[in-house]
Amino acid sequence: MRIRFSEIPAAGLELDLSALAWFPDQELGRRGDLRATARLGWEHGRVVMVGSLAVTVLLPCDRCLESTAVELAGTFHCRLEVLAAAALPAAGSEYCCPEDEMDIVYLAEEVVEVDELLRQQLYLLLPDKRLCHPDCRGLCPRCGVDLNHLSCDCGGEKPESPFAVLKKLKTE
């Protein structure tokens, strides 16, 4: 969904985004309903997008790779500005972004790509560590069996570290 700045009234524009056209089905599985709302409005001459997002996604566990349902819910607040060519720093120079610019999304033109902003907010809600349950035992590093469901005959011995050869180089 593309909305031009000129289409946003002074009172704001309410959007119900529960339709699934923007959801990245190719990358994330989904379970249940998706609830997403957003409001486009004006604040100090800038376009602001404020909203909320709630969905349950299916993600692989980081330890055992079993698919697990993860509930995501959050709110977002983005200030949208058109990036003027004059505002760009010179090539090769560094730019330190002040804290009050951290929530600004710079656009090439005066058009809000609502679907793309929602996808970005969804990815920002994904957890860093995804576990099917807190005491997940994961996969055996030798034979690959899921230790949550089966035990293996590999024994408790750990394989020799590839860095063990560096002990020979250690001098006293």
Side-chain angles (χ1 to χ4, degrees):
M1 174 185 311
R2 294 173 52 103
I3 299 176
R4 297 196 166 281
F5 282 15
S6 59
E7 297 171 350
I8 303 170
L13 185 63
E14 297 288 333
L15 304 171
D16 180 15
L17 304 163
S18 296
L20 299 176
W22 64 270
F23 190 83
D25 288 318
Q26 305 83 7
E27 298 154 20
L28 294 173
R30 183 183 53 82
R31 179 184 290 167
D33 292 332
L34 168 72
R35 293 175 310 281
T37 60
R39 182 179 188 287
L40 288 170
W42 293 94
E43 183 179 284
H44 305 296
R46 292 184 176 144
V47 175
V48 177
M49 183 171 166
V50 179
S52 64
L53 178 63
V55 65
T56 300
V57 294
L58 301 172
L59 301 171
C61 174
D62 286 341
R63 292 184 187 160
C64 68
L65 303 179
E66 187 175 309
S67 183
T68 184
V70 178
E71 292 181 25
L72 304 176
T75 60
F76 55 90
H77 180 275
C78 304
R79 295 183 294 163
L80 308 171
E81 287 187 16
V82 177
L83 182 63
L88 293 172
S93 67
E94 292 185 23
Y95 177 73
C96 183
C97 184
E99 193 167 327
D100 64 334
E101 290 184 8
M102 296 302 257
D103 66 344
I104 296 177
V105 176
Y106 291 103
L107 306 172
E109 56 182 325
E110 290 186 349
V111 176
V112 181
E113 294 281 350
V114 177
D115 295 350
E116 182 59 30
L117 288 173
L118 281 174
R119 273 191 292 279
Q120 290 174 10
Q121 295 303 318
L122 175 69
Y123 287 123
L124 288 171
L125 287 174
L126 292 175
D128 293 331
K129 188 72 170 172
R130 303 176 280 241
L131 297 177
C132 56
H133 49 85
D135 55 340
C136 176
R137 296 179 59 208
L139 302 175
C140 174
R142 293 194 123 181
C143 67
V145 73
D146 186 348
L147 298 173
N148 294 315
H149 303 292
L150 301 170
S151 60
C152 64
D153 297 331
C154 295
E157 64 186 60
K158 292 184 179 179
E160 186 175 339
S161 167
F163 298 104
V165 72
L166 295 176
K167 285 184 179 179
K168 297 175 186 175
L169 298 175
K170 185 177 179 181
T171 58
E172 295 189 28

